[in-house]
């Protein structure tokens, strides 16, 4: 139930003053929702400063400027020339340029001899300052001159900025009468307005401080969104106390045998993770643990240890990966050891069909398979486990909430171990996984050398090709990564098909190709050729980013490295350095480098520490795109930017706990969760 004062926010958008039957669908498309609250929370993504800030002579090219000008002359369009209007102030001249305009309209809006206010981007062409299609042409008595800061909204669809802005402001109006769910002390401490006042300020800023990224109004609204998320996490966490899982307690024989068969001593970090998992599995409260580890830290062994523990308790495990390549690799790397110690494993993927698929499904339902590896295929309706009690989800941020839920429903209340090879900054982890216990693998197995990383411009390509020739003659294996599959009209970037053809002309059949559009059988064949050494160079896209393990590969070349995120570059680099050869990562870049790209490359060159790299990536990119949240079931915050608002996240976490202890706050809790569309997350997470 939500408090009654929130009801106006849950009316359809057509109830907003000024919205009719024709406008409503356009509004819904623009704001991504059909309720008043969706319009109210559709905040501007930037603001235009409309204050008079320049004379023509002082205006810098490439900047947005506002001028008070005198209209001198019109030059109507002739042949291929655009329509031009010459204007001036007491410092110089400016030409307004219009393509395919209505001459009568321009004559009425810009009559010769009149004074007007114009706004737009100043450019320099033909040795004169110009403005193409001014965004504003105003009379001196226009009411719009009172608007000093103009909001700019994303996704305006077929609406004008002016129309959408007016509707969003109107949608925020009912919030002015809301009682506040935050205490007066908290608001005073951080200088926050009420929720309603903050909404109005965000849509209608009055001061320069209101339009900054860390503006107090936006900070207040971000806090509310983070608070809603923390409430859902803590409610979900509390609900787990009522769930009953099968305690998985064994005699230790399989887990000890597993470690013995690997042939090396686990790191201290792995030993801590084993202990964490064993403690969780011994309880009737279902485990919900996130295992974070840097590239090559040994997460797979920890997951396998958990599967062995479940098998000791006569229960089944599911091991799900986001791609067939990775699922197959996990199966191949673990099944040999599993067979030797008496654990029965199978692989179920999209390419397993017919009688082979039927056999696996029958054995699984009969309890004759202990560990089932696979992709999304694991949670299909026909996949029935006899006693599923332990679930591993690798690269879990690549699966949506519904995918995770569907797999967990294959058992009564399975224990869940989620793994991430992408080290997640502490702040972002708190925002996304605040309800999960965490184990961190911050050590690498002994003998792993650091990967030597070097950056070089694209014009050094011939020199690099000669080095590759020497490397493959020495029986080294080389990954060559490109950012695109095919040629793009919009990007001057080498694509994987052209690079493959180029390298094949140089090195013949020693080159293999893999990318996401190939069929599974083609991908497997290319990977197998590279694994056994028939192919020495694997040209690929980021489809090999996570988990691919070819110990003989000692060189990775990442072309157009300036186009990749820092964490992604680190993941790609982690494909090498897995054997006993000294490994190298070469970052090819297109000059000149921007400041952000330069910082990424320098960071990668200077450190191999994945957690330090994750923090730097978070600093450079913010939280919104760090894990590709838009492609997953993780929350895509509407207002909060974790990089900007990270300092208020712990406060939101603490305040959520206080609210949940207060019996009188239940309606407020339900209301704020619904306001930010997180109601389903209470049950899904």
């Amino acid at each position: 139930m939500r408090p009654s004062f929130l009801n106006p926010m849950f009316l359809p958008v057509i109830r907003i003053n000024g919205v009719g039957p024709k406008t409503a669908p356009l509004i819904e498309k623009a704001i991504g929702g059909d309720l008043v609250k969706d319009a109210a929370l559709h905040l501007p993504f930037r603001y235009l400063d409309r204050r008079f800030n320049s004379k023509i002579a002082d205006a810098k090219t490439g900047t947005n400027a506002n001028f008070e000008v005198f209209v001198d002359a019109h030059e109507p369009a002739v042949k291929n020339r655009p329509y031009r209007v010459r204007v001036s102030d007491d410092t110089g001249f400016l030409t307004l340029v219009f393509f395919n305009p209505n001459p009568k309209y321009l004559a009425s809006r810009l009559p010769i001899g009149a004074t007007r206010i114009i706004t737009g981007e100043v450019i320099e062409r033909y040795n004169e300052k110009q403005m193409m299609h001014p965004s504003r042409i105003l009379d001196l008595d226009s009411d719009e001159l009172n608007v000093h800061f103009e909001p700019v909204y994303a996704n305006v669809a077929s609406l004008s900025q002016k129309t959408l802005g007016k509707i969003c402001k109107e949608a925020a109006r009912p919030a002015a009468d809301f009682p506040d769910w935050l205490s007066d002390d908290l608001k005073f401490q951080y200088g926050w307005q009420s929720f309603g006042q903050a909404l109005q300020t965000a849509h209608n800023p009055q001061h320069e401080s209101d339009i900054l990224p860390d503006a107090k109004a936006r900070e207040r609204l971000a806090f509310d969104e983070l608070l809603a998320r923390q409430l859902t996490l803590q409610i979900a966490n509390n609900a787990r106390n009522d769930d009953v899982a099968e305690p998985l307690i064994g005699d230790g024989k399989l887990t000890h045998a597993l470690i013995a068969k690997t042939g090396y001593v686990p790191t201290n970090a792995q030993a801590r993770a084993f202990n964490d998992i064993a403690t969780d599995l011994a309880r009737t409260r279902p485990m919900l643990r996130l295992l974070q580890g840097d590239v090559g830290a040994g997460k797979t062994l920890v997951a396998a240890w958990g599967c062995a523990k479940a098998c000791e308790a006569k229960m089944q495990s599911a091991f799900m990966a986001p791609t067939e390549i990775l699922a197959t690799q996990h199966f191949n790397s673990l099944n040999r050891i599993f067979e030797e110690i008496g654990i029965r494993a199978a692989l179920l993927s999209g390419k397993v069909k017919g009688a082979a698929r039927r056999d696996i499904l029958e054995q699984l339902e009969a309890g004759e398979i202990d560990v089932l590896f696979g992709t999304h295929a694991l949670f299909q309706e026909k996949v029935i486990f006899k006693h599923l009690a332990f679930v591993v989800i690798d690269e879990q941020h690549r699966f949506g909430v519904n995918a995770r839920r569907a797999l967990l429903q294959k058992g009564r209340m399975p224990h869940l171990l989620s793994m991430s090879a992408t080290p997640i900054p502490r702040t972002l982890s708190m925002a996304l996984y605040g309800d999960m216990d965490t184990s961190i693998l911050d050590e690498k197995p002994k003998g792993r050398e650091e990967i030597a990383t070097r950056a070089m411009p694209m014009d050094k390509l011939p020199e690099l090709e000669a080095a590759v020739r020497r490397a493959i003659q020495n029986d080294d294996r080389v990954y060559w990564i490109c950012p695109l599959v095919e040629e793009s009209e919009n990007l001057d970037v080498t694509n994987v098909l052209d690079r493959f053809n180029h390298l094949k002309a140089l090195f013949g059949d020693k080159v293999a190709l893999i990318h996401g559009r190939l069929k599974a059988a083609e991908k497997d064949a290319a990977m197998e050729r590279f694994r056994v050494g028939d192919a020495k160079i694997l040209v690929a896209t980021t489809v090999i980013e996570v988990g691919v393990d070819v110990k003989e590969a000692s060189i990775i070349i990442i072309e157009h490295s300036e186009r990749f995120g820092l964490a992604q570059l680190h993941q790609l680099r982690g494909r090498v350095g897995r054997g006993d050869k000294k490994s190298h990562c070469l970052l090819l870049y297109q000059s000149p480098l921007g400041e952000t790209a330069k910082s990424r490359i320098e960071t990668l060159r200077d450190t191999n520490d994945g957690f330090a790299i994750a923090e730097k990536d978070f600093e450079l990119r913010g939280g919104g795109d760090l894990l590709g949240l838009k492609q997953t079931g993780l929350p895509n915050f509407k207002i909060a930017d974790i990089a900007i608002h990270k300092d208020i996240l712990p406060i939101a976490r603490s305040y959520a706990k206080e609210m949940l202890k207060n019996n009188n706050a239940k309606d407020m809790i339900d209301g704020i969760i619904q306001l930010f569309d997180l109601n389903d997350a209470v049950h899904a997470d």
Side-chain angles (χ1 to χ4, degrees):
M1 297 293 291
R2 63 173 172 265
S4 59
F5 67 81
L6 280 178
N7 287 341
M9 284 288 181
F10 288 83
L11 296 173
V13 293
I14 201 167
R15 298 286 293 275
I16 301 172
N17 187 28
V19 178
K22 291 184 179 179
T23 313
L26 299 178
I27 294 291
E28 291 171 10
K29 183 178 180 181
I31 65 177
D34 56 4
L35 300 176
V36 172
K37 71 177 183 65
D38 299 315
L41 295 172
H42 187 70
L43 301 189
F45 74 96
R46 65 185 178 98
Y47 301 87
L48 300 177
D49 188 343
R50 296 307 199 189
R51 295 172 297 176
F52 295 112
N53 55 15
S54 184
K55 291 287 189 178
I56 291 174
D58 300 327
K60 295 180 180 179
T61 58
T63 60
N64 203 71
N66 303 280
F67 304 114
E68 182 177 328
V69 297
F70 182 80
V71 182
D72 295 315
H74 283 236
E75 299 176 17
V78 178
K79 293 185 179 179
N80 294 326
R81 287 173 59 86
Y83 196 107
R84 296 155 61 91
V85 179
R86 190 174 177 82
V87 300
S88 63
D89 64 11
D90 57 1
T91 69
F93 296 92
L94 181 74
T95 300
L96 309 181
V97 180
F98 301 89
F99 292 91
N100 302 316
N102 181 331
K104 290 184 179 180
Y105 171 77
L106 289 183
S108 66
R109 291 299 300 122
L110 293 163
I112 295 173
T115 301
R116 291 289 184 264
I117 308 301
I118 61 166
T119 303
E121 183 181 356
V122 178
I123 63 172
E124 183 130 8
R125 296 184 71 192
Y126 310 119
N127 294 318
E128 67 175 9
K129 287 183 177 178
Q130 296 185 354
M131 185 180 288
M132 314 274 283
H133 291 272
S135 57
R136 288 198 315 179
I137 302 173
L138 302 177
D139 298 338
L140 292 178
D141 58 355
S142 171
D143 290 340
E144 287 190 45
L145 291 177
N146 296 321
V147 178
H148 298 310
F149 306 103
E150 182 180 330
V152 180
Y153 295 85
N155 305 323
V156 294
S158 301
L159 300 165
S160 68
Q161 284 285 344
K162 186 175 180 180
T163 299
L164 182 58
K166 183 179 178 182
I167 289 167
C168 290
K169 290 172 195 170
E170 188 65 30
R173 197 178 300 279
D177 299 324
F178 288 2
D180 213 327
W181 40 80
L182 300 189
S183 69
D184 291 339
D185 288 345
L186 187 67
K187 288 184 289 184
F188 178 79
Q189 183 178 355
Y190 292 98
W192 291 336
Q193 301 168 302
S194 69
F195 176 78
Q197 289 170 327
L199 265 185
Q200 289 295 333
T201 299
H203 288 295
N204 189 25
Q206 298 299 308
H207 307 286
E208 187 172 3
S209 60
D210 294 335
I211 69 173
L212 299 175
D214 60 351
K216 284 295 181 182
R218 194 170 287 260
E219 184 181 74
R220 160 70 215 251
L221 298 172
F223 181 85
D224 293 323
E225 186 172 31
L226 294 171
L227 175 62
R229 173 64 183 170
Q230 291 302 311
L231 286 167
T232 63
L233 290 173
Q234 291 182 34
I235 289 171
N237 200 27
N238 293 340
R240 285 170 55 219
N241 292 325
D242 298 327
D243 293 333
V244 179
E246 189 76 36
L248 305 181
I249 303 172
D251 55 15
K253 289 182 179 179
L254 290 177
T255 51
H256 282 99
L258 177 76
I259 300 302
K261 288 293 181 182
T262 64
Y264 73 87
V265 178
T267 64
N268 292 330
Q270 286 176 314
R272 288 195 302 270
F274 295 156
N275 186 63
D276 291 341
I277 293 170
T279 301
D280 287 348
L281 295 183
R283 296 171 178 156
T284 56
R285 185 176 191 257
M287 178 176 77
L288 186 58
R289 182 166 292 278
L290 173 66
L291 179 65
Q292 279 197 71
D294 203 352
V295 176
K299 294 177 296 299
T300 304
L301 177 61
V302 174
W305 191 93
C307 293
K309 179 63 69 175
C311 191
E312 287 176 354
K314 312 300 182 189
M315 295 291 174
Q316 293 171 303
S317 301
F319 199 129
M320 185 166 75
T323 66
E324 287 199 8
I325 288 176
L326 191 51
T328 302
Q329 182 173 286
H330 280 315
F331 174 74
N332 289 338
S333 65
L334 293 176
N335 188 45
R336 177 185 59 79
I337 297 176
F338 279 169
E339 283 183 338
E340 290 180 7
I341 64 176
I343 295 176
R344 301 162 298 181
L347 173 67
L348 186 68
S349 64
K351 67 180 182 181
V352 179
K353 301 182 185 300
R357 189 179 191 85
R358 285 195 300 273
D359 287 346
I360 289 175
L361 294 179
E362 288 173 2
Q363 291 172 35
L364 186 71
E365 190 171 5
E368 296 168 3
I369 291 174
D370 301 310
V371 184
L372 183 65
F373 293 82
T375 59
H376 293 77
L378 296 189
F379 53 78
Q380 291 176 354
E381 187 177 348
K382 292 182 179 179
V383 179
I384 301 172
F385 291 81
K386 184 176 182 180
H387 292 301
L388 177 63
F390 182 66
V391 172
V392 178
I393 300 182
D394 194 15
E395 286 303 299
Q396 71 96 37
H397 65 269
R398 297 188 176 206
F399 293 97
V401 167
N402 291 334
R404 296 195 293 273
R405 188 193 306 174
L407 182 55
L408 289 174
Q409 288 174 346
K410 295 292 182 180
R412 192 179 77 180
M413 188 56 66
H415 298 276
L416 173 64
L417 178 68
S418 293
M419 300 199 299
S420 176
T422 305
I424 303 167
R426 182 179 177 277
T427 307
L428 187 58
S429 181
M430 187 189 301
L432 302 178
Y433 313 118
D435 58 334
M436 301 182 79
D437 299 313
T438 304
S439 295
I440 294 178
L441 301 184
D442 51 8
E443 301 173 72
K444 291 185 180 179
K446 289 182 180 179
R448 286 278 176 94
E449 286 193 52
E450 287 199 349
I451 301 161
T453 303
R454 180 185 170 196
M456 55 197 306
M458 289 291 294
D459 57 19
K460 298 277 189 182
L461 191 60
E463 178 184 317
L464 180 60
E465 289 167 352
V468 167
R469 184 176 297 280
R470 292 192 297 271
I472 64 175
Q473 287 172 349
N474 194 38
D475 202 31
D476 287 336
R477 259 162 258 176
V478 181
Y479 291 109
W480 194 304
I481 310 301
C482 298
L484 298 179
V485 174
E486 295 176 337
E487 185 177 358
S488 167
E489 293 182 4
N490 301 319
L491 296 173
D492 184 19
V493 174
T494 308
N495 65 79
V496 74
L497 299 178
D498 285 350
R499 181 57 66 209
F500 169 71
N501 290 327
H502 173 76
L503 293 174
K504 191 170 183 181
L506 294 176
F507 302 109
D509 290 338
K510 296 295 183 183
V511 187
L513 172 68
I514 185 169
H515 58 76
R517 296 183 190 175
L518 293 177
K519 294 179 181 178
E522 294 172 312
K523 292 179 192 175
D524 290 345
M527 282 301 306
E528 183 62 15
R529 286 189 62 217
F530 187 64
R531 189 184 68 78
V532 301
D534 179 37
K536 302 293 187 183
I537 302 171
L538 182 65
V539 184
T541 58
T542 57
V543 70
I544 61 99
E545 175 186 345
V546 174
V548 172
D549 188 7
V550 177
K551 290 180 172 54
E552 294 78 9
S554 59
I555 298 171
I556 184 164
I557 297 163
I558 305 174
E559 195 165 342
H560 289 285
S561 57
E562 75 277 4
R563 304 197 64 84
F564 294 91
L566 184 49
Q568 190 175 40
L569 287 172
H570 181 59
Q571 288 296 323
L572 288 167
R573 177 170 63 179
R575 297 314 98 215
V576 297
R578 292 166 172 263
D580 53 9
K581 280 189 176 183
K582 177 66 178 175
S583 292
H584 302 267
C585 173
L586 299 165
L587 305 173
L588 282 175
Y589 63 86
Q590 186 67 55
S591 298
L593 278 176
E595 287 303 314
T596 299
K598 186 184 294 184
S599 182
R600 285 192 197 118
I601 289 174
E602 287 176 352
T603 300
L604 200 73
R605 193 180 56 202
D606 294 343
T607 182
N608 278 267
D609 184 340
F611 287 92
I613 286 170
E615 291 291 348
K616 184 65 175 179
D617 200 24
F618 183 60
E619 176 188 322
L620 292 173
R621 298 170 62 191
D625 191 45
L626 192 61
L627 296 177
L629 302 186
K630 292 179 182 179
Q631 281 72 49
T632 73
L634 297 176
N636 183 23
F637 293 115
K638 297 176 183 176
I639 301 170
D641 183 326
I642 304 300
I644 294 173
H645 301 120
K646 60 184 178 183
D647 292 340
I648 61 173
L649 179 56
I651 304 161
R653 187 177 178 86
S654 176
Y655 199 78
K657 291 179 180 178
E658 288 183 33
M659 288 186 74
L660 289 169
K661 289 178 184 176
N662 184 355
N663 292 330
N664 296 326
K666 187 178 185 312
D667 58 345
M668 289 289 193
I669 291 169
D670 291 340
I672 189 172
I673 287 173
Q674 292 175 58
L675 191 63
F676 286 97
D677 290 328
L678 291 171
N679 199 45
D680 288 345
V682 173
H683 309 290
D685 284 0

